[in-house]
Amino acid sequence: MDNFWQQFAAETIAVHAGQERSNEGEQSEAIFATSSFTFNSAAQAAARFSGSEAGNIYSRFTNPTVRTFEQRLAALEGGERAVATSSGMAAILSLCMGVLQQGDHIVSSQSIFGTTTLLFTNFMAKFGVETTFVPLADLQRWQQAIRPQTRLLFVESPSNPLLELVDITRLAAIAHQHQALLAVDNCLMTPIQQQPLALGADVVIHSATKFLDGQGRGVGGAVVGSGAVLDSVYSFLRNAGPTMSPFNAWIFLKGLETLQIRLNQQSANALVLAQWLEQHSAVETVYYPGLESHPQHALATQQQQGYGALLSFTVEGGQEAAWRVIDQTKIHSITANLGDTKATITHPATTTHGRLTPEQRQAAGISDGLIRISVGLESVSDLIDDLHLGG
C-alpha cells in the first residue's frame, strides 16, 4: 500500500487511490482492454521479463486497470498489497496454492460458505492438505485443533448465513503463537465496516462480486495482506491464470466509489428489518449482530464499524414454510448472490449450502427453516410488506 493514502479517510481512498492517469488525462479510470503490451526495445522486454524493470508485460498478470483496483483495495484494507482474481473462490484457491504445500494443515471455521468447505475437503485434500473444522467462536477448540503442520487458519467473520463472529484479535494471537497465518473472509463487512489486518489477521479475502461491486455486474475476488504473503499468491496467479479481467476491475473500481454510502444505508435498513422480524410471531430466531439479543452483539460493536446488510431468520414449518415465504415475494430477488443494491432472498439449505451433507449442514447450523436476506437500498417499509410470514 502507498503510505501516502494513510492520511486520508476511507471515502476519499475509495474514490482516488491507485489511479494513474494516462497522457490523455482521463477523469475516470481507463479500461486497458489489451492482451499484451509492447516494449521500446528487445533489451527493455528482457528487463521487464527478468523483473529488473517494472512495467506491463501481459494482462494475465500485469494490467493497469487491474493494478488500480488492487492498489485501491489494499489502501482501504490497510494492506501492503492486493492480488485481484477472477472470483472470490479463485482468491481462496490462490491463497491456498500460494502458501500451502503437501502435508500442511488448515484449521477452518465450520461456519463458512459451502463451496469453500468443498474446496478444502474435496480438492485441497487431493494435494495432501488436510482440514479440521471447528466452531467459529470457540477459541479453545481452535487451540486444540492446531497441529505442528498447521499453516493456515481460515474464518468468515461475520459468517454467512448465520452471522456468527470470532474475536479476530485473539484468534490472530493463537495463529501466530503456532507460526500460522490467519485469513479472514471480509466479504460481508468490507473494509468500510471492518479491518481484519488492523485486528491482527495476516490475510483478507474478498469476493468482489458482492458489496465491493454492489450492483450485480461482475464476478471477481481479491487477496490482501503483506508483501511477503502476497508474493507467493501472485506467483500462483501469474502461472495458473485465475486472473481478473480489466473490464471487471473497472466495474469494481466504480463500485468502491459508492461503497460507504451503499453499505451504511443497507446496514441501517437491515437493522430495521431485523427488529421487525424479531417481533414477528412466525419467526423463531433472527440472526443479526446489530440486535442486542445477538449473543455476540458486544463483540460486533467492538471490532466492527457497523453490522452489515446481511441477516437470516428461521420460520416455523421448515423447508415448506421457508419456500412459501420466498416464493410470495415480489420485490426481493430470489438469488443466491448477496451485496446487491436490490434485496435478495434465498434458502441456504438448498442453495448456497445445498451440496453439503446433512451432517455438514447440521454442524454449520443450516436448518431447513432458515431464510437469508441481503438487504438492498429499497424502502425498508416496502421490503417488510413484501414478506408474507403468516402467524
Side-chain angles (χ1 to χ4, degrees):
M1 178 185 67
D2 187 345
N3 290 333
F4 170 79
W5 292 107
Q6 291 181 330
Q7 63 185 303
F8 296 103
E11 51 264 51
T12 303
I13 294 171
V15 173
H16 290 285
Q19 183 173 11
E20 300 175 9
R21 290 188 173 95
S22 72
N23 292 332
E24 302 300 324
E26 66 278 355
Q27 165 68 354
S28 181
E29 295 81 4
I31 304 175
F32 286 84
T34 181
S35 59
S36 63
F37 299 85
T38 61
F39 312 104
N40 295 329
S41 66
Q44 186 184 56
R48 293 274 181 90
F49 272 84
S50 70
S52 61
E53 177 182 306
N56 302 305
I57 300 173
Y58 188 61
S59 280
R60 186 180 72 243
F61 56 95
T62 51
N63 181 277
T65 314
V66 176
R67 182 168 60 248
T68 299
F69 169 70
E70 291 173 335
Q71 291 176 349
R72 189 168 297 179
L73 182 61
L76 282 168
E77 285 285 5
E80 292 179 2
R81 185 177 182 185
V83 172
T85 60
S86 57
S87 68
M89 290 309 306
I92 299 173
L93 174 65
S94 298
L95 172 65
C96 291
M97 298 301 287
V99 305
L100 301 175
Q101 62 184 1
Q102 186 177 22
D104 285 348
H105 176 239
I106 301 170
V107 183
S108 171
S109 162
Q110 60 195 22
S111 304
I112 56 174
F113 181 38
T115 302
T116 308
T117 299
L118 295 176
L119 173 66
F120 291 160
T121 58
N122 292 358
F123 296 98
M124 294 311 300
K126 289 184 178 181
F127 299 96
V129 176
E130 188 177 349
T131 303
T132 300
F133 295 93
V134 297
L136 175 60
D138 192 337
L139 293 177
Q140 184 176 359
R141 292 284 296 276
W142 283 95
Q143 185 76 261
Q144 293 170 346
I146 293 175
R147 308 171 185 172
Q149 299 80 21
T150 302
R151 295 292 177 267
L152 179 66
L153 276 60
F154 187 92
V155 300
E156 293 176 12
S157 183
S159 67
N160 170 20
L162 294 180
L163 287 306
E164 298 174 276
L165 284 74
V166 70
D167 188 321
I168 294 174
T169 299
R170 294 178 64 189
L171 187 58
I174 292 172
H176 300 157
Q177 177 186 351
H178 297 276
Q179 291 75 54
L181 299 173
L182 172 61
V184 177
D185 186 326
N186 201 30
C187 174
L188 300 189
M189 290 291 97
T190 84
I192 298 302
Q193 294 191 340
Q194 180 173 261
Q195 295 82 42
L197 299 179
L199 296 171
D202 302 284
V203 179
V204 169
I205 294 289
H206 277 289
S207 172
T209 314
K210 310 301 192 293
F211 290 101
L212 298 190
D213 171 28
Q215 296 172 69
R217 300 169 297 185
V219 176
V223 187
V224 187
S226 68
V229 174
L230 269 293
D231 284 349
S232 62
V233 175
Y234 175 75
S235 178
F236 174 75
L237 178 133
R238 175 171 181 163
N239 289 283
T243 310
M244 179 178 288
S245 73
F247 182 73
N248 281 3
W250 181 81
I251 284 176
F252 300 139
L253 281 167
K254 299 297 101 180
L256 288 178
E257 291 179 1
T258 61
L259 174 59
Q260 181 160 6
I261 294 172
R262 286 186 286 104
L263 185 56
N264 287 346
Q265 182 59 57
Q266 288 170 281
S267 299
N269 289 350
L271 178 58
V272 174
L273 179 57
Q275 290 169 337
W276 176 79
L277 287 166
E278 192 173 40
Q279 300 303 315
H280 201 288
S281 60
V283 175
E284 296 179 339
T285 308
V286 181
Y287 303 93
Y288 185 67
L291 295 174
E292 293 185 6
S293 59
H294 190 285
Q296 296 172 297
H297 175 72
L299 177 61
T301 302
Q302 171 189 326
Q303 72 181 15
Q304 300 170 190
Q305 292 78 55
Y307 302 111
L310 195 78
L311 61 84
S312 59
F313 60 99
T314 53
V315 293
E316 298 175 349
Q319 178 178 309
E320 181 180 354
W323 279 18
R324 184 166 57 249
V325 171
I326 292 169
D327 290 346
Q328 288 178 328
T329 59
K330 304 299 181 186
I331 296 175
H332 293 75
S333 300
I334 304 175
T335 178
N337 195 28
L338 59 88
D340 203 299
T341 55
K342 301 178 179 68
T344 69
I345 190 168
T346 195
H347 184 247
T350 53
T351 58
T352 57
H353 293 70
R355 290 186 294 160
L356 300 183
T357 65
E359 292 76 21
Q360 287 174 319
R361 283 197 297 274
Q362 182 179 8
I366 310 299
S367 68
D368 289 341
L370 185 70
I371 296 171
R372 189 195 74 187
I373 293 178
S374 177
V375 181
L377 290 177
E378 301 93 343
S379 161
V380 69
S381 297
D382 289 337
L383 294 179
I384 288 172
D385 291 342
D386 200 41
L387 295 173
H388 303 284
L389 301 177

